Amino acid sequence: MRSGDNAMVRAESAARLGDRGQAEPDLSFEEFCQQNIVQVERFLSSQCADRGLVEDAVQEAFITARDKWEQIRDFEKPLAWMYKTARYKLLVLRRRYRQDVVLGLDEVPPERLAEPADSAEARELLRSWLPQLPPRQAEVFTMAFEGWSDLEIAQVLGIAYNTVRAYRQEARRRLKELAQQAGFDAPAGRGRG
């Protein structure tokens, strides 16, 4: 046997063994994807109105995560790594396609401005307004809305704790203005959120 043939046999053997050896990490990665893909997509949707661009960025981020799964699965919060990676992928795609579409309230179809019928519809309306905020405010608000603490948000986004609080408050103020402009009554203050 020539050395080239040995290399081919080793590669085939490794591929066969690798399939069995990868079953458990694939399973945990699959579970991770199922549990977090919607959150990552919501996070990016708060920054970009182009659904196609968001979907592309999410797919690229999860492909990258699969390649690095051995490393990131042991992180305390692999979702934080996903947020950072997905955000970066979206920035790259936006630069590539030179898209930064933001709809004004006058461009939103009237049926979208109707009173929300339930909480799911209200959340969707809120998500449609998020791209009108500055990107960092939208990121902070989305993460806070998803239940992340201010300290966790600061660590994931690499900004100061007080900046997180200021961004969250300013985002709430601006979203309240957008709701009032659209003819919705602002709900009574609920405290933090």
Side-chain angles (χ1 to χ4, degrees), residues 12-26:
E12 289 173 0
S13 296
R16 274 185 269 134
L17 291 173
D19 287 344
R20 279 181 267 148
Q22 291 291 331
E24 188 175 314
D26 284 344

Side-chain angles (χ1 to χ4, degrees), residues 148-157 159 161 164-165 192:
W148 294 71
S149 73
D150 289 346
L151 186 58
E152 290 171 329
I153 295 169
Q155 290 171 342
V156 169
L157 297 179
I159 55 179
Y161 172 79
V164 169
R165 293 182 61 203
R192 184 175 179 258

Side-chain angles (χ1 to χ4, degrees):
M1 237 186 217
R2 295 186 323 230
S3 63
D5 293 336
N6 283 338
M8 185 179 288
V9 169
R10 277 191 303 245
E12 289 173 0
S13 296
R16 274 185 269 134
L17 291 173
D19 287 344
R20 279 181 267 148
Q22 291 291 331
E24 188 175 314
D26 284 344
L27 182 62
S28 64
F29 180 72
E30 183 178 336
E31 290 170 356
F32 176 78
C33 290
Q34 289 173 348
Q35 294 169 1
N36 296 297
I37 194 163
V38 173
Q39 287 178 307
V40 174
E41 193 169 314
R42 271 192 223 134
F43 177 69
L44 293 184
S45 293
S46 71
Q47 302 162 50
C48 179
D50 185 335
R51 201 152 186 78
L53 214 53
V54 167
E55 288 174 1
D56 288 348
V58 169
Q59 287 179 6
E60 287 189 22
F62 275 94
I63 288 169
T64 302
R66 178 61 190 115
D67 290 343
K68 298 181 181 224
W69 185 243
E70 292 295 320
Q71 177 187 357
I72 66 170
R73 73 176 175 180
D74 295 328
F75 289 173
E76 185 178 326
K77 286 200 170 221
L79 182 58
W81 184 91
M82 282 301 305
Y83 277 3
K84 284 182 179 181
T85 302
R87 188 172 151 266
Y88 173 76
K89 297 290 185 183
L90 181 62
L91 289 172
V92 168
L93 288 172
R94 275 182 145 171
R95 280 189 207 123
R96 187 178 305 152
Y97 296 114
R98 304 259 186 236
Q99 289 183 338
D100 198 8
V101 178
V102 176
L103 295 176
L105 276 178
D106 54 330
E107 298 173 274
V108 176
E111 64 271 9
R112 292 292 297 247
L113 296 177
E115 191 74 33
D118 58 16
S119 62
E121 197 173 313
R123 280 191 302 274
E124 188 62 34
L125 182 60
L126 174 68
R127 279 191 213 103
S128 73
W129 289 336
L130 287 173
Q132 297 179 45
L133 299 177
R136 278 294 197 186
Q137 286 180 14
E139 291 171 354
V140 167
F141 184 85
T142 301
M143 291 179 77
F145 192 74
E146 296 279 334
W148 294 71
S149 73
D150 289 346
L151 186 58
E152 290 171 329
I153 295 169
Q155 290 171 342
V156 169
L157 297 179
I159 55 179
Y161 172 79
N162 287 336
T163 303
V164 169
R165 293 182 61 203
Y167 282 171
R168 183 175 39 80
Q169 290 170 352
E170 182 59 24
R172 288 188 68 204
R173 185 194 65 73
R174 180 68 181 123
L175 289 168
K176 185 176 177 181
E177 283 176 9
L178 290 170
Q180 289 171 342
Q181 288 173 5
F184 297 110
D185 294 327
R190 292 182 339 170
R192 184 175 179 258

